[in-house]
Amino acid sequence: MLMVDLILKKRTGQVLTDQEINFIINEYVKSNIPDYQMSAFLMAVCFQGMNEHESTALAMAMRDSGKVYDLSKIKGIKVDKHSTGGVGDKVTLVLGPMVAAVGAKFAKMSGRGLGHTGGTLDKLEAIKGFQLEQSEEDFIELVSKHGLAVIGQSDDVTPADKLLYALRDVTGTVDSVPLMASSIMSKKLASGSDVICLDVKYGSGAFMHTVADAENLANVMVKIGKLAGKKMTAMITSMDEPLGHKIGNGLEVYEAIETLKGNGPEDLVTVVTEIGAYLTVDAKIFKTLEEARKELRKTLTDGRAFGKLREMVVAQKGDVSMIDHPEKFLTAKTHKIYADKAGFIESFKTTDIGTAARLLGAGRLTKEDVLDLDVGVDIHKKIGDKVEKGDLLATIYHNDKGLKQATEVLNSAIKIGKTQKPAELIAKVIR
Ligand code: URA
């Protein structure tokens, strides 16, 4: 088999066999296929697409490129979630403790930020000492004992995805349905949970801009998961504005803690509750979604969910004083942005809000960048909010780096207009 023939086959819109897809992944991981050929192949996939069978074969080949976790030693049904990437998306930090508080086993492997979107690993590193690297045995023990653990993906899990991801990031081949679906599902299938909920984002801050594109991606991922024997849900949720208010690693941990104490923004609480409801019904903890929603919301006000976060931080050796005194996450200097006219918040350029945080140092601009975990942005308004001239729109948390550029980007990312349009949050649920 020759890679050049397979590039040509895909470039001309033909369907690849399982054997051909396995060859591409196996040989690339062994460095027998150079990056320039793989880049050409990825671009051909972007233009020609893949059918569901090919996407599934690609996900399976990527899963089998490394270690597949066996979580069967953990008693009960294991649940997991994954977001396709958002701005201010701190769902995992709230959802894990909430579902663990009602008895679910939340076994989550998380990734780092990508492009303008944040990553849970970077956020958890804002908690001093928090140990993200855990062996399979320790991961199993943590989930068994505490009901939750969030760890980094070790190097031996889906090495094909790691290599392909880095290549896609720099070859303009991220937002392709088969490439995203196989990347996400290879990791979900390798990390061993039984029940999975995918949070598929659409809108101005997501990789998929329309509901239809997000739905297309969700359908492919749900089918791949089902073929692998997983119980699947995909929720299509809006990224037309940041989720909650705060964007930036430590800032998002702060907002997650506030949410776990019952003081969270309603959009975040709604998304987390909905994802949690499907996970816990599928895990047979609750009989109905209604019952699940009610109980999950209760965990935010009776201290159970906050208690689970604390327990996880202690178990993973993080500095629990930061959880007890979350103001420790708010140490950067502040710069405020005010409205220059009255009206209603009509829209956000959400990707640009992510970019502003990135310019301050909250995200990477090159692979080598070291993050500033204290910086970011607090957007005080939501779509549809009434604004008076001089109202506080946003607070930038900074340590000088990138302040001027981030302020400019942010100023043009918030659109004040004359009409009051309601914001959509959850467009669809696919089961
Ligand atoms: N998240 C992933 O893990 N992979 C993608 O391709 C996109 C978002």
PDB file of all heavy atoms in Angstrom, residues 82-85 111-112 114 117 153 161 165 168 173-185 187 207 217, ligand 1:
ATOM      1  N   HIS A  82     -17.744  15.256  27.021  1.00  0.00           N
ATOM      2  CA  HIS A  82     -16.705  15.927  26.235  1.00  0.00           C
ATOM      3  C   HIS A  82     -17.334  17.106  25.527  1.00  0.00           C
ATOM      4  O   HIS A  82     -18.441  17.012  25.018  1.00  0.00           O
ATOM      5  CB  HIS A  82     -16.118  14.962  25.194  1.00  0.00           C
ATOM      6  CG  HIS A  82     -14.832  15.444  24.603  1.00  0.00           C
ATOM      7  ND1 HIS A  82     -13.608  15.113  25.127  1.00  0.00           N
ATOM      8  CD2 HIS A  82     -14.574  16.253  23.547  1.00  0.00           C
ATOM      9  CE1 HIS A  82     -12.649  15.694  24.418  1.00  0.00           C
ATOM     10  NE2 HIS A  82     -13.218  16.392  23.453  1.00  0.00           N
ATOM     11  N   SER A  83     -16.601  18.200  25.524  1.00  0.00           N
ATOM     12  CA  SER A  83     -17.082  19.368  24.792  1.00  0.00           C
ATOM     13  C   SER A  83     -16.261  19.519  23.528  1.00  0.00           C
ATOM     14  O   SER A  83     -15.063  19.216  23.519  1.00  0.00           O
ATOM     15  CB  SER A  83     -16.904  20.602  25.689  1.00  0.00           C
ATOM     16  OG  SER A  83     -16.890  21.769  24.901  1.00  0.00           O
ATOM     17  N   THR A  84     -16.912  20.000  22.466  1.00  0.00           N
ATOM     18  CA  THR A  84     -16.153  20.202  21.226  1.00  0.00           C
ATOM     19  C   THR A  84     -15.343  21.494  21.297  1.00  0.00           C
ATOM     20  O   THR A  84     -14.654  21.846  20.352  1.00  0.00           O
ATOM     21  CB  THR A  84     -17.085  20.231  19.994  1.00  0.00           C
ATOM     22  OG1 THR A  84     -18.079  21.252  20.207  1.00  0.00           O
ATOM     23  CG2 THR A  84     -17.763  18.899  19.786  1.00  0.00           C
ATOM     24  N   GLY A  85     -15.441  22.211  22.391  1.00  0.00           N
ATOM     25  CA  GLY A  85     -14.580  23.379  22.585  1.00  0.00           C
ATOM     26  C   GLY A  85     -15.356  24.674  22.644  1.00  0.00           C
ATOM     27  O   GLY A  85     -16.146  24.985  21.755  1.00  0.00           O
ATOM     28  N   GLY A 111      -8.291  17.529  28.221  1.00  0.00           N
ATOM     29  CA  GLY A 111      -7.204  18.025  27.375  1.00  0.00           C
ATOM     30  C   GLY A 111      -6.893  19.486  27.668  1.00  0.00           C
ATOM     31  O   GLY A 111      -7.521  20.111  28.533  1.00  0.00           O
ATOM     32  N   ARG A 112      -5.925  20.003  26.937  1.00  0.00           N
ATOM     33  CA  ARG A 112      -5.525  21.404  27.094  1.00  0.00           C
ATOM     34  C   ARG A 112      -6.307  22.287  26.127  1.00  0.00           C
ATOM     35  O   ARG A 112      -7.021  21.784  25.264  1.00  0.00           O
ATOM     36  CB  ARG A 112      -4.024  21.538  26.830  1.00  0.00           C
ATOM     37  CG  ARG A 112      -3.213  20.698  27.790  1.00  0.00           C
ATOM     38  CD  ARG A 112      -1.851  21.283  28.062  1.00  0.00           C
ATOM     39  NE  ARG A 112      -1.183  20.502  29.098  1.00  0.00           N
ATOM     40  CZ  ARG A 112      -1.270  20.729  30.400  1.00  0.00           C
ATOM     41  NH1 ARG A 112      -1.981  21.747  30.847  1.00  0.00           N
ATOM     42  NH2 ARG A 112      -0.660  19.966  31.279  1.00  0.00           N
ATOM     43  N   LEU A 114      -7.268  24.703  23.101  1.00  0.00           N
ATOM     44  CA  LEU A 114      -7.001  24.550  21.679  1.00  0.00           C
ATOM     45  C   LEU A 114      -7.477  25.815  20.979  1.00  0.00           C
ATOM     46  O   LEU A 114      -8.634  26.198  21.120  1.00  0.00           O
ATOM     47  CB  LEU A 114      -7.795  23.336  21.180  1.00  0.00           C
ATOM     48  CG  LEU A 114      -7.956  23.223  19.692  1.00  0.00           C
ATOM     49  CD1 LEU A 114      -6.659  22.760  19.080  1.00  0.00           C
ATOM     50  CD2 LEU A 114      -9.063  22.242  19.362  1.00  0.00           C
ATOM     51  N   THR A 117     -10.175  28.286  22.309  1.00  0.00           N
ATOM     52  CA  THR A 117     -10.981  27.617  23.328  1.00  0.00           C
ATOM     53  C   THR A 117     -10.113  27.154  24.498  1.00  0.00           C
ATOM     54  O   THR A 117      -8.923  26.890  24.327  1.00  0.00           O
ATOM     55  CB  THR A 117     -11.725  26.385  22.742  1.00  0.00           C
ATOM     56  OG1 THR A 117     -10.763  25.383  22.391  1.00  0.00           O
ATOM     57  CG2 THR A 117     -12.528  26.753  21.513  1.00  0.00           C
ATOM     58  N   GLN A 153      -4.689  13.269  29.847  1.00  0.00           N
ATOM     59  CA  GLN A 153      -4.534  12.082  29.029  1.00  0.00           C
ATOM     60  C   GLN A 153      -3.063  11.699  29.012  1.00  0.00           C
ATOM     61  O   GLN A 153      -2.229  12.538  28.657  1.00  0.00           O
ATOM     62  CB  GLN A 153      -4.893  12.518  27.630  1.00  0.00           C
ATOM     63  CG  GLN A 153      -5.774  11.586  26.877  1.00  0.00           C
ATOM     64  CD  GLN A 153      -6.018  12.238  25.551  1.00  0.00           C
ATOM     65  OE1 GLN A 153      -6.900  13.086  25.424  1.00  0.00           O
ATOM     66  NE2 GLN A 153      -5.202  11.905  24.594  1.00  0.00           N
ATOM     67  N   ASP A 161      -3.977  10.593  17.871  1.00  0.00           N
ATOM     68  CA  ASP A 161      -4.704  11.868  17.980  1.00  0.00           C
ATOM     69  C   ASP A 161      -3.753  13.000  18.350  1.00  0.00           C
ATOM     70  O   ASP A 161      -3.863  14.108  17.826  1.00  0.00           O
ATOM     71  CB  ASP A 161      -5.841  11.770  18.997  1.00  0.00           C
ATOM     72  CG  ASP A 161      -6.597  13.096  19.094  1.00  0.00           C
ATOM     73  OD1 ASP A 161      -7.133  13.549  18.066  1.00  0.00           O
ATOM     74  OD2 ASP A 161      -6.605  13.704  20.175  1.00  0.00           O
ATOM     75  N   TYR A 165      -3.521  15.946  15.946  1.00  0.00           N
ATOM     76  CA  TYR A 165      -4.079  17.197  16.440  1.00  0.00           C
ATOM     77  C   TYR A 165      -3.117  18.361  16.239  1.00  0.00           C
ATOM     78  O   TYR A 165      -3.490  19.428  15.740  1.00  0.00           O
ATOM     79  CB  TYR A 165      -4.480  17.087  17.929  1.00  0.00           C
ATOM     80  CG  TYR A 165      -5.578  18.057  18.137  1.00  0.00           C
ATOM     81  CD1 TYR A 165      -6.892  17.657  18.028  1.00  0.00           C
ATOM     82  CD2 TYR A 165      -5.285  19.401  18.262  1.00  0.00           C
ATOM     83  CE1 TYR A 165      -7.903  18.574  18.087  1.00  0.00           C
ATOM     84  CE2 TYR A 165      -6.295  20.326  18.310  1.00  0.00           C
ATOM     85  CZ  TYR A 165      -7.593  19.906  18.219  1.00  0.00           C
ATOM     86  OH  TYR A 165      -8.588  20.823  18.255  1.00  0.00           O
ATOM     87  N   ARG A 168      -3.054  19.198  12.589  1.00  0.00           N
ATOM     88  CA  ARG A 168      -4.285  19.874  12.139  1.00  0.00           C
ATOM     89  C   ARG A 168      -4.298  21.330  12.579  1.00  0.00           C
ATOM     90  O   ARG A 168      -4.739  22.211  11.840  1.00  0.00           O
ATOM     91  CB  ARG A 168      -5.521  19.146  12.700  1.00  0.00           C
ATOM     92  CG  ARG A 168      -5.792  17.827  11.986  1.00  0.00           C
ATOM     93  CD  ARG A 168      -6.811  17.001  12.749  1.00  0.00           C
ATOM     94  NE  ARG A 168      -8.052  17.711  12.940  1.00  0.00           N
ATOM     95  CZ  ARG A 168      -8.845  17.565  13.992  1.00  0.00           C
ATOM     96  NH1 ARG A 168      -8.541  16.723  14.959  1.00  0.00           N
ATOM     97  NH2 ARG A 168      -9.958  18.244  14.080  1.00  0.00           N
ATOM     98  N   THR A 173      -6.789  22.393   9.277  1.00  0.00           N
ATOM     99  CA  THR A 173      -7.651  21.216   9.082  1.00  0.00           C
ATOM    100  C   THR A 173      -8.334  20.786  10.390  1.00  0.00           C
ATOM    101  O   THR A 173      -8.558  19.604  10.610  1.00  0.00           O
ATOM    102  CB  THR A 173      -6.831  20.036   8.493  1.00  0.00           C
ATOM    103  OG1 THR A 173      -5.687  19.808   9.330  1.00  0.00           O
ATOM    104  CG2 THR A 173      -6.355  20.313   7.087  1.00  0.00           C
ATOM    105  N   VAL A 174      -8.656  21.779  11.237  1.00  0.00           N
ATOM    106  CA  VAL A 174      -9.329  21.430  12.508  1.00  0.00           C
ATOM    107  C   VAL A 174     -10.817  21.156  12.275  1.00  0.00           C
ATOM    108  O   VAL A 174     -11.337  20.111  12.650  1.00  0.00           O
ATOM    109  CB  VAL A 174      -9.146  22.541  13.575  1.00  0.00           C
ATOM    110  CG1 VAL A 174     -10.027  22.269  14.795  1.00  0.00           C
ATOM    111  CG2 VAL A 174      -7.690  22.626  14.030  1.00  0.00           C
ATOM    112  N   ASP A 175     -11.512  22.091  11.628  1.00  0.00           N
ATOM    113  CA  ASP A 175     -12.980  22.010  11.631  1.00  0.00           C
ATOM    114  C   ASP A 175     -13.554  21.151  10.491  1.00  0.00           C
ATOM    115  O   ASP A 175     -14.338  21.603   9.674  1.00  0.00           O
ATOM    116  CB  ASP A 175     -13.598  23.412  11.633  1.00  0.00           C
ATOM    117  CG  ASP A 175     -13.071  24.276  10.509  1.00  0.00           C
ATOM    118  OD1 ASP A 175     -12.117  23.836   9.843  1.00  0.00           O
ATOM    119  OD2 ASP A 175     -13.605  25.377  10.292  1.00  0.00           O
ATOM    120  N   SER A 176     -13.152  19.909  10.478  1.00  0.00           N
ATOM    121  CA  SER A 176     -13.699  18.940   9.522  1.00  0.00           C
ATOM    122  C   SER A 176     -14.464  17.908  10.350  1.00  0.00           C
ATOM    123  O   SER A 176     -13.942  17.411  11.360  1.00  0.00           O
ATOM    124  CB  SER A 176     -12.530  18.284   8.777  1.00  0.00           C
ATOM    125  OG  SER A 176     -12.770  16.916   8.562  1.00  0.00           O
ATOM    126  N   VAL A 177     -15.691  17.596   9.933  1.00  0.00           N
ATOM    127  CA  VAL A 177     -16.530  16.694  10.747  1.00  0.00           C
ATOM    128  C   VAL A 177     -15.851  15.341  10.995  1.00  0.00           C
ATOM    129  O   VAL A 177     -15.721  14.917  12.148  1.00  0.00           O
ATOM    130  CB  VAL A 177     -17.947  16.557  10.148  1.00  0.00           C
ATOM    131  CG1 VAL A 177     -18.698  15.390  10.783  1.00  0.00           C
ATOM    132  CG2 VAL A 177     -18.714  17.858  10.334  1.00  0.00           C
ATOM    133  N   PRO A 178     -15.404  14.612   9.956  1.00  0.00           N
ATOM    134  CA  PRO A 178     -14.795  13.303  10.259  1.00  0.00           C
ATOM    135  C   PRO A 178     -13.536  13.415  11.109  1.00  0.00           C
ATOM    136  O   PRO A 178     -13.292  12.555  11.966  1.00  0.00           O
ATOM    137  CB  PRO A 178     -14.458  12.706   8.883  1.00  0.00           C
ATOM    138  CG  PRO A 178     -14.671  13.777   7.897  1.00  0.00           C
ATOM    139  CD  PRO A 178     -15.518  14.839   8.505  1.00  0.00           C
ATOM    140  N   LEU A 179     -12.765  14.492  10.932  1.00  0.00           N
ATOM    141  CA  LEU A 179     -11.526  14.620  11.721  1.00  0.00           C
ATOM    142  C   LEU A 179     -11.837  14.966  13.169  1.00  0.00           C
ATOM    143  O   LEU A 179     -11.220  14.429  14.097  1.00  0.00           O
ATOM    144  CB  LEU A 179     -10.588  15.662  11.094  1.00  0.00           C
ATOM    145  CG  LEU A 179     -10.083  15.319   9.679  1.00  0.00           C
ATOM    146  CD1 LEU A 179      -9.134  16.398   9.170  1.00  0.00           C
ATOM    147  CD2 LEU A 179      -9.385  13.954   9.644  1.00  0.00           C
ATOM    148  N   MET A 180     -12.816  15.842  13.386  1.00  0.00           N
ATOM    149  CA  MET A 180     -13.192  16.170  14.774  1.00  0.00           C
ATOM    150  C   MET A 180     -13.852  14.967  15.442  1.00  0.00           C
ATOM    151  O   MET A 180     -13.552  14.625  16.587  1.00  0.00           O
ATOM    152  CB  MET A 180     -14.160  17.364  14.812  1.00  0.00           C
ATOM    153  CG  MET A 180     -13.478  18.697  14.599  1.00  0.00           C
ATOM    154  SD  MET A 180     -14.628  20.083  14.749  1.00  0.00           S
ATOM    155  CE  MET A 180     -14.814  20.197  16.507  1.00  0.00           C
ATOM    156  N   ALA A 181     -14.767  14.326  14.703  1.00  0.00           N
ATOM    157  CA  ALA A 181     -15.510  13.195  15.289  1.00  0.00           C
ATOM    158  C   ALA A 181     -14.548  12.077  15.681  1.00  0.00           C
ATOM    159  O   ALA A 181     -14.642  11.514  16.785  1.00  0.00           O
ATOM    160  CB  ALA A 181     -16.549  12.682  14.300  1.00  0.00           C
ATOM    161  N   SER A 182     -13.596  11.761  14.813  1.00  0.00           N
ATOM    162  CA  SER A 182     -12.694  10.645  15.131  1.00  0.00           C
ATOM    163  C   SER A 182     -11.733  11.037  16.244  1.00  0.00           C
ATOM    164  O   SER A 182     -11.392  10.212  17.093  1.00  0.00           O
ATOM    165  CB  SER A 182     -11.945  10.174  13.884  1.00  0.00           C
ATOM    166  OG  SER A 182     -11.292  11.274  13.292  1.00  0.00           O
ATOM    167  N   SER A 183     -11.312  12.305  16.270  1.00  0.00           N
ATOM    168  CA  SER A 183     -10.405  12.767  17.320  1.00  0.00           C
ATOM    169  C   SER A 183     -11.092  12.646  18.687  1.00  0.00           C
ATOM    170  O   SER A 183     -10.554  12.055  19.634  1.00  0.00           O
ATOM    171  CB  SER A 183     -10.014  14.228  17.031  1.00  0.00           C
ATOM    172  OG  SER A 183      -9.553  14.876  18.180  1.00  0.00           O
ATOM    173  N   ILE A 184     -12.289  13.183  18.775  1.00  0.00           N
ATOM    174  CA  ILE A 184     -13.004  13.170  20.056  1.00  0.00           C
ATOM    175  C   ILE A 184     -13.375  11.742  20.463  1.00  0.00           C
ATOM    176  O   ILE A 184     -13.119  11.314  21.588  1.00  0.00           O
ATOM    177  CB  ILE A 184     -14.253  14.072  19.985  1.00  0.00           C
ATOM    178  CG1 ILE A 184     -13.805  15.540  19.872  1.00  0.00           C
ATOM    179  CG2 ILE A 184     -15.181  13.864  21.177  1.00  0.00           C
ATOM    180  CD1 ILE A 184     -14.908  16.528  19.579  1.00  0.00           C
ATOM    181  N   MET A 185     -13.949  10.999  19.515  1.00  0.00           N
ATOM    182  CA  MET A 185     -14.445   9.669  19.897  1.00  0.00           C
ATOM    183  C   MET A 185     -13.319   8.676  20.164  1.00  0.00           C
ATOM    184  O   MET A 185     -13.464   7.789  20.988  1.00  0.00           O
ATOM    185  CB  MET A 185     -15.415   9.133  18.832  1.00  0.00           C
ATOM    186  CG  MET A 185     -16.735   9.872  18.801  1.00  0.00           C
ATOM    187  SD  MET A 185     -17.511  10.089  20.433  1.00  0.00           S
ATOM    188  CE  MET A 185     -17.853   8.385  20.915  1.00  0.00           C
ATOM    189  N   LYS A 187     -10.673   9.304  21.778  1.00  0.00           N
ATOM    190  CA  LYS A 187     -10.297   9.532  23.183  1.00  0.00           C
ATOM    191  C   LYS A 187     -11.382   9.024  24.133  1.00  0.00           C
ATOM    192  O   LYS A 187     -11.107   8.458  25.184  1.00  0.00           O
ATOM    193  CB  LYS A 187     -10.049  11.030  23.421  1.00  0.00           C
ATOM    194  CG  LYS A 187      -8.767  11.496  22.753  1.00  0.00           C
ATOM    195  CD  LYS A 187      -8.533  12.972  22.912  1.00  0.00           C
ATOM    196  CE  LYS A 187      -9.431  13.790  22.049  1.00  0.00           C
ATOM    197  NZ  LYS A 187      -8.916  15.057  21.576  1.00  0.00           N
ATOM    198  N   PHE A 207     -16.218  25.787  16.852  1.00  0.00           N
ATOM    199  CA  PHE A 207     -15.641  25.374  15.567  1.00  0.00           C
ATOM    200  C   PHE A 207     -16.739  25.164  14.534  1.00  0.00           C
ATOM    201  O   PHE A 207     -16.522  25.327  13.347  1.00  0.00           O
ATOM    202  CB  PHE A 207     -14.812  24.088  15.741  1.00  0.00           C
ATOM    203  CG  PHE A 207     -13.565  24.310  16.552  1.00  0.00           C
ATOM    204  CD1 PHE A 207     -13.376  23.678  17.766  1.00  0.00           C
ATOM    205  CD2 PHE A 207     -12.585  25.182  16.113  1.00  0.00           C
ATOM    206  CE1 PHE A 207     -12.229  23.896  18.522  1.00  0.00           C
ATOM    207  CE2 PHE A 207     -11.433  25.410  16.861  1.00  0.00           C
ATOM    208  CZ  PHE A 207     -11.257  24.764  18.058  1.00  0.00           C
ATOM    209  N   LEU A 217     -22.082  16.849  13.054  1.00  0.00           N
ATOM    210  CA  LEU A 217     -20.949  16.329  13.837  1.00  0.00           C
ATOM    211  C   LEU A 217     -21.454  15.427  14.972  1.00  0.00           C
ATOM    212  O   LEU A 217     -20.928  14.337  15.204  1.00  0.00           O
ATOM    213  CB  LEU A 217     -20.132  17.503  14.405  1.00  0.00           C
ATOM    214  CG  LEU A 217     -19.009  17.155  15.381  1.00  0.00           C
ATOM    215  CD1 LEU A 217     -17.923  16.316  14.715  1.00  0.00           C
ATOM    216  CD2 LEU A 217     -18.367  18.434  15.954  1.00  0.00           C
TER     217      LEU A 217
HETATM  218  N1  URA B   1     -11.679  18.591  20.500  1.00  0.00           N
HETATM  219  C1  URA B   1     -10.979  17.472  20.216  1.00  0.00           C
HETATM  220  O1  URA B   1     -10.621  16.715  21.112  1.00  0.00           O
HETATM  221  N2  URA B   1     -10.711  17.189  18.941  1.00  0.00           N
HETATM  222  C2  URA B   1     -11.091  17.984  17.922  1.00  0.00           C
HETATM  223  O2  URA B   1     -10.813  17.657  16.785  1.00  0.00           O
HETATM  224  C3  URA B   1     -11.799  19.168  18.232  1.00  0.00           C
HETATM  225  C4  URA B   1     -12.097  19.452  19.535  1.00  0.00           C
END
